[in-house]
Amino acid sequence: AITQYNTGNNTTTFSEISNYENKNRIGSTELELKYAPNTKNYIVNTATYNRNPHNTINGIMLGNVAVSQENDVFSETFYNHLEHTHLLTNNTALYNYLYVGYGVSQENAEISHPLLNDLLETDNVEPFFQDVNNKFNYYGLQSTMLTKRNKWENQLKFHAHFENENASSRLFTETEN
C-alpha cells in the first residue's frame, strides 16, 4: 500500500509491505471428579491445565526501512476448583467452594529497526531484544449457608480472595546483555 501525504510544498510518500507467519500450538486438559459419599454430601473437583507455546515472525517494509520482529511466547495455567455441598437439615445446606490458580507467561522478542537505534542512542546498528515475564497466583474460598423456610430463602456468605502478580520487561541489545 502506498500513501502520499501532501503537506504544503513537501510531499511525503509512505509504503508498507508486510509478511506475517504464526505457529501456534495449544495443549489443554480438564479433569472433573464427582463424589457423593452419602446422601448428605456431594463433592466436585475440577482441575484444568493449559499450555500454549507459539512463535511469530513479522516483517514490514516502511518506505525504505525494513522492520522485523520475531517472538517466542510460552504460557501455561493451572486451575483447581473444589466444591462441597453438605445438607445440615432438611431446610439448610452448607456450600463450600475452594479454588487455586497459577499462571506464567514468557515472551522473548527480537526487533530490528534502524530508527530504534537512533531513538535509544545506541552506537551500533543491531537488533534489540525484549524479555517479558509475568507470573500470577490466586486462591480463595467461599462459604454459603442456604436456609429455606416456607416462602423465605436466606443466604449467609463469606468470601475471601487472595492474589499475587509479578511482571517484568527488559529491552536490551546483544552488547548490553
Side-chain angles (χ1 to χ4, degrees):
I2 296 177
T3 306
Q4 269 193 342
Y5 298 99
N6 296 314
T7 55
N9 294 332
N10 300 325
T11 301
T12 302
T13 302
F14 169 78
S15 65
E16 177 181 325
I17 300 169
S18 180
N19 296 311
Y20 176 77
E21 180 182 339
N22 185 21
K23 295 179 183 174
N24 194 4
R25 300 168 305 278
I26 298 173
S28 178
T29 186
E30 182 173 288
L31 176 65
E32 183 174 84
L33 302 172
K34 297 179 179 182
Y35 179 61
N38 54 46
T39 58
K40 293 187 174 198
N41 289 285
Y42 185 67
I43 301 168
V44 177
N45 190 75
T46 306
T48 306
Y49 176 75
N50 296 300
R51 181 181 172 95
N52 184 11
H54 67 276
N55 307 87
T56 306
I57 299 171
N58 192 17
I60 299 175
M61 188 69 121
L62 298 173
N64 297 343
V65 179
V67 179
S68 68
Q69 181 172 337
E70 184 174 341
N71 294 55
D72 291 322
V73 181
F74 172 80
S75 65
E76 71 178 347
T77 56
F78 172 77
Y79 306 103
N80 193 69
H81 302 268
L82 176 64
E83 300 171 77
H84 175 235
T85 304
H86 178 70
L87 188 61
L88 298 171
T89 68
N90 287 339
N91 298 327
T92 306
L94 181 62
Y95 171 74
N96 293 306
Y97 170 53
L98 301 165
Y99 56 90
V100 63
Y102 165 81
V104 64
S105 67
Q106 299 168 327
E107 179 177 357
N108 301 312
E110 180 178 338
I111 307 162
S112 297
H113 189 303
L115 299 178
L116 192 56
N117 293 90
D118 293 341
L119 178 68
L120 298 175
E121 300 175 354
T122 58
D123 296 331
N124 301 325
V125 176
E126 59 181 324
F128 280 84
F129 299 91
Q130 184 176 24
D131 290 337
V132 179
N133 294 296
N134 187 12
K135 293 180 182 179
F136 73 86
N137 57 51
Y138 66 86
Y139 53 94
L141 70 94
Q142 177 179 319
S143 189
T144 307
M145 186 180 309
L146 305 160
T147 305
K148 188 171 186 178
R149 298 219 190 260
N150 301 324
K151 295 182 181 181
W152 293 91
E153 186 174 306
N154 298 310
Q155 291 186 11
L156 178 62
K157 285 188 181 185
F158 171 77
H159 185 202
H161 176 85
F162 305 95
E163 64 183 84
N164 184 30
E165 182 173 4
N166 294 310
S168 65
S169 178
R170 182 174 160 239
L171 184 67
F172 59 95
T173 63
E174 264 187 321
T175 55
E176 294 174 332
N177 193 7

